[in-house]
Amino acid sequence: MSTPVLKKHYLEKVVPALKEKLGYTNPHQVPALEKIVVTSCMGNAPDRKVAVDDAVLEIAKITGQKPSITYSKKAVANFKLRAGEPLGARVTLRGENMWEFLYRFINVTAPNIRDFRGISSKSFDGQGNYAVGFADQSIFPEIELDQIKRQIGFDLIFVTTAKTDDEGRTLLAELGMPFRDIKKDAAEGAAA
């Protein structure tokens, strides 16, 4: 099996560029992408069990892996939710599948978003990990529009080995993540 295109790009171009930018001497200090987690929660759907099954099918089409079902830990009467009831689905991508999914996301899915001007570079968690959410699954080319039963929102979490948000942002930008204007977002974040 051949090496994914984006992994090859990371090893050949991104690692040397990050070593130079971040001032590392050892290539093992350079931040890397550890995993991508795709999650969906169907907590507010009236027919929650059927909605979770739909979410499982959609995530499986998008990622190529069968997701696991997440269950509620507590009963919440206001939401008509019992403990142990299915709430959503999630899948963790690592290795070859992670690199292939990221390549498709950067080059096919993100440009497929209507009025796309880039994604915000502000959604970092303080430890170099990045999360972005989408309102519906129609942006993914694997989904056939006439087969959509319901609108399912997704969260993509990019987990990195970066120590800071700036390192994580630099890593993802070097990989080709279509951020809006990184300098503009960083200035707005500092002003706030």
Side-chain angles (χ1 to χ4, degrees), residues 117-121 178-187:
R117 292 185 191 98
I119 56 178
S120 174
S121 62
F179 289 126
R180 275 187 214 120
D181 185 13
I182 293 176
K183 292 173 184 72
K184 180 182 167 190
D185 283 350

Side-chain angles (χ1 to χ4, degrees), residues 86-136:
L87 266 184
R90 74 168 171 221
V91 66
T92 302
L93 303 170
R94 299 174 195 268
E96 311 290 317
N97 287 348
M98 172 189 73
W99 289 109
E100 293 293 337
F101 178 80
L102 182 60
Y103 180 80
R104 286 193 325 262
F105 176 74
I106 290 170
N107 296 305
V108 180
T109 303
N112 211 10
I113 300 170
R114 186 182 316 163
D115 298 331
F116 183 68
R117 292 185 191 98
I119 56 178
S120 174
S121 62
K122 295 181 186 178
S123 301
F124 282 87
D125 67 350
Q127 297 171 353
N129 304 316
Y130 179 71
V132 63
F134 299 101
D136 71 343

Side-chain angles (χ1 to χ4, degrees), residues 19 23-27 29:
K19 272 179 68 175
Y24 290 134
T25 54
N26 188 333
Q29 291 176 305

Side-chain angles (χ1 to χ4, degrees), residues 1-177:
M1 189 171 177
S2 65
T3 306
V5 174
L6 202 55
K7 183 177 183 181
K8 197 173 182 181
H9 172 72
Y10 170 76
L11 295 172
E12 293 174 1
K13 299 219 168 60
V14 175
V15 170
L18 289 177
K19 272 179 68 175
E20 188 177 318
K21 277 185 183 178
L22 301 174
Y24 290 134
T25 54
N26 188 333
H28 297 290
Q29 291 176 305
V30 174
L33 190 62
E34 200 172 309
K35 62 186 174 182
I36 299 174
V37 182
V38 181
T39 64
S40 181
C41 182
M42 305 307 296
N44 57 359
D47 55 340
R48 197 174 294 125
K49 289 179 182 165
V50 177
V52 168
D53 291 339
D54 291 344
V56 166
L57 292 173
E58 299 291 310
I59 291 176
K61 284 181 195 173
I62 291 166
T63 62
Q65 275 184 222
K66 186 175 188 231
S68 60
I69 296 174
T70 56
Y71 297 91
S72 63
K73 293 180 183 174
K74 296 180 183 179
V76 181
N78 289 347
F79 298 116
K80 297 179 180 147
L81 181 67
R82 295 186 177 128
E85 195 171 339
L87 266 184
R90 74 168 171 221
V91 66
T92 302
L93 303 170
R94 299 174 195 268
E96 311 290 317
N97 287 348
M98 172 189 73
W99 289 109
E100 293 293 337
F101 178 80
L102 182 60
Y103 180 80
R104 286 193 325 262
F105 176 74
I106 290 170
N107 296 305
V108 180
T109 303
N112 211 10
I113 300 170
R114 186 182 316 163
D115 298 331
F116 183 68
R117 292 185 191 98
I119 56 178
S120 174
S121 62
K122 295 181 186 178
S123 301
F124 282 87
D125 67 350
Q127 297 171 353
N129 304 316
Y130 179 71
V132 63
F134 299 101
D136 71 343
Q137 71 272 34
S138 65
I139 63 168
F140 294 96
E142 296 86 1
I143 303 297
E144 298 173 28
L145 296 177
D146 56 341
Q147 300 292 322
I148 294 177
K149 295 178 188 173
R150 71 181 74 233
Q151 186 174 350
I152 299 172
F154 291 95
D155 289 324
L156 302 179
I157 300 136
F158 300 91
V159 181
T160 68
T161 60
K163 304 270 189 283
T164 65
D165 288 348
D166 289 333
E167 285 183 4
R169 190 176 295 112
T170 305
L171 167 68
L172 293 175
E174 287 288 329
L175 285 171
M177 186 67 76

